[in-house]
């Protein structure tokens, strides 16, 4: 007969380990302002204790926890130090989010003090605004009467002690994942845990949980059709990747449930109905889920209806209407157009229908222009995946170049050195362009879905520089996903039922909400990465010094972030093709420029003073041709003003097919004091630029500064003209110098009839 053993806290020395930890803290030179200890039983909070003196710790612990010692399975300990005063705006729910879980809070307001442990804020998913509101509730004061509240924020040291008396130091209630932790084995473990979590979300009737709040142990009653259908696609792929019958049954059950509850038909048109709307994206993804399913033959009627709806919502100019109901809604183009095109592209891999390829390319041409005029990172992964599938059929260079252009730009918003804390590294978020959206696990996941396709494309065409850039970004993104995954007992310190979260992906490092697409996007990216990365692609040694690989760290080049109305400017240039050969002085007189044509919009003021070359003359003015390019000139003046500079000479230059601008340096007093910029207008094959010992391939729509004081050259490997806007700006720091050395003999902006 088995003997039952009553295991107590003292028997397993968890209490003694806590005292040892306190003694160790007491021996440090740091002066801790407060100590917080929380006792839990299988994640459930039993008691918590605050004290300010380590000397009295033993007695206070004994007094507080004696009657529940037998129930305690873990302790958290948090030491507070280095206080800082801050003001919190109660209406700003996201204020200081990056400090949640890293900084504890003391509130002394309204005649009462409350303290909030950073670990407790993580456990209860509390923002700084929320703890202020809870403080007001304790003093029974209306929140509406208080706009801001002073708080004291403390740095923290965090520890977790389990029943076996093992102690681990925590980083925001978690364990810090460094880039060294990313390897083939850890990647595989992460992938399997996510797959298991996804499978666990599907009920016997096929319904999948949409969102779970671990802090409340509650599932959301809300739902989202597009995210549910993405999950269905993910389950189909999981079953295929693992060749697993149980996963295949789960995927089939989920597909059947979603069609039964969301699919509707009106005549020949099938649509997905949820929450009072029928979206283009939901129709495209539902059709894709059927197309990829082993159960496809059972649902051909539904697939046909959804295909008809996607076609119904497409327009002759290549654009899509994004809603079937309500029909007049046109928003969410960044998402739904790409989701529809991904369905079309996947279907093309089966049919290879030439008419449908033409239809796809018309949409591509429309959305390429649209994106360059309305840049948003959300657009990039969906369109990348669709275009990559069609590129594999057609090998169309325009598809290839645009994939590279989009993803090169996307890399700018991935945080690494700029991340506020190490656990945020690898996520995609630009605080300077917060209108792109907050950081989110689902965003990182979907960007990885696109980046692995861009990586594979770069590999196909032997673009080794891009392969490395994308590989770096992918590994950093994997690190971010691994950081967000619930993996171990200590990370689940406040979870009463860890099986609900293990393998799941938090929304952010400070928000533990798990939404189904947090996992689904990352998982679908991981499946592709696993299929395409070799073991050596996971090796970290090749990442050392990787900042030199990324283009923003070049010595002679820097990409500029400034909104360019690309399509409007392109239209202006195309309307004025007759101007290309009006003035051929540059190609005739400058040997290195002999394979170019130029339209001069601002140039040196003529006639030049006797004995002065154009390279040494500072005064310039608009030419007669500038009037034909109002949007272009307005944009350049705006840019110069934004950097407090002065617009100088401006040209539009085209380089002939297979042409070259030969190596040279822009010498003279004029160039000495000015910065040179290029905007790439038309360059289907990419613009090869070499300056000093560096080479960069610029893409259509990009805006660059480069060092024209270094020896430089340019090449056009394409079969059509490469068109750039090339202009100079006198920076603010040099204005006084030029004013001092210039002796104008003409009014600076006068026009004397010269077109050069």
């Amino acid at each position: 007969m088995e003997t039952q053993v009553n295991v107590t806290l003292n028997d397993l020395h968890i209490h003694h380990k806590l005292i040892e930890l306190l003694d160790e803290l007491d021996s440090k030179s740091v002066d801790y302002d407060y100590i917080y200890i929380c006792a839990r039983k299988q994640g459930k909070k039993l008691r918590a204790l605050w004290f300010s003196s380590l000397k009295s710790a033993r007695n206070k612990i004994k007094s507080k926890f004696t009657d529940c010692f037998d129930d305690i399975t873990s302790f958290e300990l948090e030491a507070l130090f280095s206080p800082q005063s801050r003001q919190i705006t109660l209406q700003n729910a996201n204020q200081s989010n990056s400090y949640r879980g890293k900084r504890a809070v003391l509130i002394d307001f309204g005649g009462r003090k409350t303290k909030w442990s950073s670990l407790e804020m993580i456990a209860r998913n509390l923002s700084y605004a929320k703890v202020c509101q809870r403080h007001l509730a304790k003093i029974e004061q209306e929140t509406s009467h208080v706009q801001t509240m002073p708080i004291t924020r403390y740095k923290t040291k965090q520890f977790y002690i389990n029943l076996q008396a093992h102690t681990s130091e925590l980083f925001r209630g978690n364990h810090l994942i460094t880039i060294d932790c990313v390897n083939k084995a850890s990647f595989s473990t992460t992938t399997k845990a996510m797959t298991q979590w996804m499978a666990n979300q599907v009920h016997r009737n096929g319904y999948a949980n949409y969102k779970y709040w671990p802090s409340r142990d509650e599932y959301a009653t809300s739902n989202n059709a597009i995210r549910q259908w993405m999950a269905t696609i993910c389950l189909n792929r999981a079953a295929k990747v693992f060749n697993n019958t149980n996963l295949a049954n789960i995927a089939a059950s989920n597909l059947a449930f979603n069609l039964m509850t969301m699919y509707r038909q009106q005549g020949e048109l099938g649509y997905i109905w949820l929450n009072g709307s029928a979206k283009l994206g939901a129709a495209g993804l539902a059709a894709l889920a059927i197309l990829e399913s082993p159960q496809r033959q059972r649902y051909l009627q539904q697939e046909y209806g959804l295909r008809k709806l996607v076609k119904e919502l497409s327009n002759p100019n290549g654009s899509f209407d994004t809603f079937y109901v309500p029909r007049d809604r046109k928003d969410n183009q960044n998402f739904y157009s790409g989701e529809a095109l991904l369905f079309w592209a996947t279907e093309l891999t089966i049919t290879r229908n030439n008419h449908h390829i033409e239809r796809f390319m018309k949409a591509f041409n429309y959305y390429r222009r649209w994106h360059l005029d309305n840049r948003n990172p959300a657009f990039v992964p969906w369109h990348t995946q669709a275009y990559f599938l069609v590129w594999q059929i057609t090998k169309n260079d325009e598809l290839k170049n645009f994939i590279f252009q989009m993803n090169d730009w996307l890399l700018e918003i991935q945080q690494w050195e700029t991340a506020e804390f190490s656990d945020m590294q690898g996520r995609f978020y630009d605080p300077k362009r917060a209108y792109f959206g907050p950081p989110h696990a689902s965003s990182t996941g979907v960007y990885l879905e696109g980046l692995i396709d861009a990586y594979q494309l770069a590999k196909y065409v032997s673009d080794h520089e891009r392969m490395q850039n994308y590989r770096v970004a992918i590994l950093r993104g994997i690190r971010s996903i691994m950081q967000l995954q619930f993996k171990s007992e200590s990370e689940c310190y406040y979870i009463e039922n860890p099986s609900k979260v293990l393998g799941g992906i938090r929304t952010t490092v400070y928000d533990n909400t798990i939404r189904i697409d947090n996992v689904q996007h990352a998982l679908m990216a991981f499946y592709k990465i696993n299929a395409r990365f070799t073991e050596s692609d996971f090796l970290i040694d090749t990442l050392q010094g990787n900042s030199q690989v990324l283009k923003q760290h070049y010595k002679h080049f820097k990409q500029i972030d400034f909104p360019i109305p690309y399509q409007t400017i392109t239209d202006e240039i195309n309307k004025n093709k007759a101007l290309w050969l009006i003035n051929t002085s540059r190609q005739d007189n400058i040997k290195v420029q002999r394979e170019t044509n130029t339209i001069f919009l601002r140039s040196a003021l003529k006639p030049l003073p006797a004995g002065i070359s154009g390279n040494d003359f500072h005064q310039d003015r608009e030419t007669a041709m500038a009037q034909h390019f109002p949007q272009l000139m307005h944009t350049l003046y705006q840019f110069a003003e934004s950097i407090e500079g002065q617009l100088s000479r401006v040209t539009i230059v085209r380089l002939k097919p297979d042409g070259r601008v030969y190596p040279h340096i822009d010498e003279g007093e004029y160039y000495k004091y000015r910065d040179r910029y290029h905007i790439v207008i038309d360059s289907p094959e990419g613009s090869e630029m070499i300056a000093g010992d560096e080479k960069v391939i610029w893409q259509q729509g990009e805006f660059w500064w480069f060092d024209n004081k270094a020896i430089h050259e340019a090449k056009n490997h394409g079969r059509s003209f490469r068109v750039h806007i090339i202009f100079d700006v006198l920076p603010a720091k040099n204005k006084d110098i030029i004013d001092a050395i210039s002796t104008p003999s003409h009014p600076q902006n006068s026009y004397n009839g010269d077109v050069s």
Side-chain angles (χ1 to χ4, degrees), residues 461-480:
V461 300
S462 299
D463 189 333
H464 299 292
E465 182 180 333
R466 282 199 169 89
M467 281 178 63
Q468 174 70 343
N469 283 348
Y470 297 154
R471 187 179 78 89
V472 169
I474 289 166
L475 290 175
R476 290 173 170 180
I478 291 170
R479 190 225 70 83
S480 179

Side-chain angles (χ1 to χ4, degrees), residues 464-622:
H464 299 292
E465 182 180 333
R466 282 199 169 89
M467 281 178 63
Q468 174 70 343
N469 283 348
Y470 297 154
R471 187 179 78 89
V472 169
I474 289 166
L475 290 175
R476 290 173 170 180
I478 291 170
R479 190 225 70 83
S480 179
I481 295 298
M482 289 173 64
Q483 184 71 66
L484 295 172
Q485 187 174 52
F486 282 102
K487 296 178 290 297
S488 66
E489 169 200 0
S490 56
E491 294 164 17
C492 299
Y493 66 90
Y494 56 92
I495 308 293
E496 294 185 43
N497 188 350
S499 64
K500 291 184 178 180
V501 301
L502 285 172
I505 306 297
R506 303 168 177 86
T507 295
T508 64
V509 291
Y510 46 78
D511 180 355
N512 59 26
T513 305
I514 307 176
R515 207 170 67 187
I516 197 165
D517 54 319
N518 293 3
V519 179
Q520 162 266 314
H521 277 308
L523 198 47
M524 296 214 300
F526 277 38
Y527 290 154
K528 289 197 285 186
I529 294 166
N530 185 63
R532 295 171 183 173
F533 265 28
T534 64
E535 191 143 356
S536 63
D537 289 326
F538 286 95
L539 294 179
I540 304 304
D541 57 344
T542 51
L543 291 185
Q544 304 308 316
N546 60 63
S547 60
Q548 274 68 52
V549 178
L550 301 176
K551 62 189 175 189
Q552 59 262 40
H553 294 283
Y554 283 114
K555 293 179 294 183
H556 300 298
F557 299 94
K558 181 180 179 182
Q559 192 165 2
I560 305 301
D561 179 24
F562 185 81
I564 302 295
Y566 170 83
Q567 191 55 47
T568 306
I569 291 174
T570 301
D571 291 343
E572 287 183 347
I573 294 172
N574 289 337
K575 287 176 185 175
N576 290 284
K577 292 180 179 179
L579 300 181
W580 281 116
L581 300 178
I582 293 292
N583 185 330
T584 61
S585 60
R586 190 167 181 260
Q587 67 205 61
D588 295 340
N589 300 327
I590 305 175
K591 191 174 180 180
V592 298
Q593 301 288 352
R594 60 186 179 272
E595 297 177 10
T596 65
N597 303 132
T598 304
I599 301 172
F600 296 88
L601 303 186
R602 280 187 69 93
S603 62
L605 185 60
K606 304 289 180 66
L608 298 173
I612 301 292
S613 113
N615 284 15
D616 294 313
F617 191 59
H618 292 286
Q619 296 173 62
D620 48 62
R621 50 83 181 108
E622 288 188 5

Side-chain angles (χ1 to χ4, degrees), residues 184-229:
K184 182 71 172 178
S186 64
F187 175 82
S188 178
T189 300
T190 302
T191 305
K192 290 175 181 176
M194 283 195 289
T195 304
Q196 187 62 60
W197 184 91
M198 279 292 294
N200 289 345
Q201 303 316 300
V202 183
H203 297 243
R204 289 190 177 184
N205 67 352
Y207 169 75
N209 298 319
Y210 168 57
K211 187 192 295 185
Y212 177 63
W213 292 293
S215 294
R216 289 187 260 165
D217 189 22
E218 288 180 14
Y219 288 97
T221 56
S222 59
N223 209 348
N224 181 286
I226 285 177
R227 291 165 188 156
Q228 285 286 3
W229 282 107

Side-chain angles (χ1 to χ4, degrees), residues 159 187 212 228 235 256 266 287 290 303 351 356 362 374 453 467 481 529 544 635 704 736:
F159 301 91
F187 175 82
Y212 177 63
Q228 285 286 3
L235 288 164
Q266 188 173 50
I290 297 171
E303 182 186 328
T351 67
H356 290 170
K362 181 178 286 188
N374 304 273
D453 283 355
M467 281 178 63
I481 295 298
I529 294 166
Q544 304 308 316
T635 300
W704 289 82
D736 291 342

Side-chain angles (χ1 to χ4, degrees), residues 71 111 175 185 209 302 311 364 374 379 434 500 509 529 564 566 577 623 625 679 718:
D71 293 324
H175 295 289
N209 298 319
Q302 291 91 331
K311 186 174 184 295
F364 162 75
N374 304 273
F379 178 96
K500 291 184 178 180
V509 291
I529 294 166
I564 302 295
Y566 170 83
K577 292 180 179 179
T623 71
M625 289 188 275
I679 299 173

Side-chain angles (χ1 to χ4, degrees), residues 52 82 88 124 150-151 316 325 340 503 599 617 692 726 734 756:
S52 56
S82 190
I88 296 298
R124 296 168 68 182
I151 67 168
V325 179
I599 301 172
F617 191 59
I726 304 176
N734 292 340
S756 64

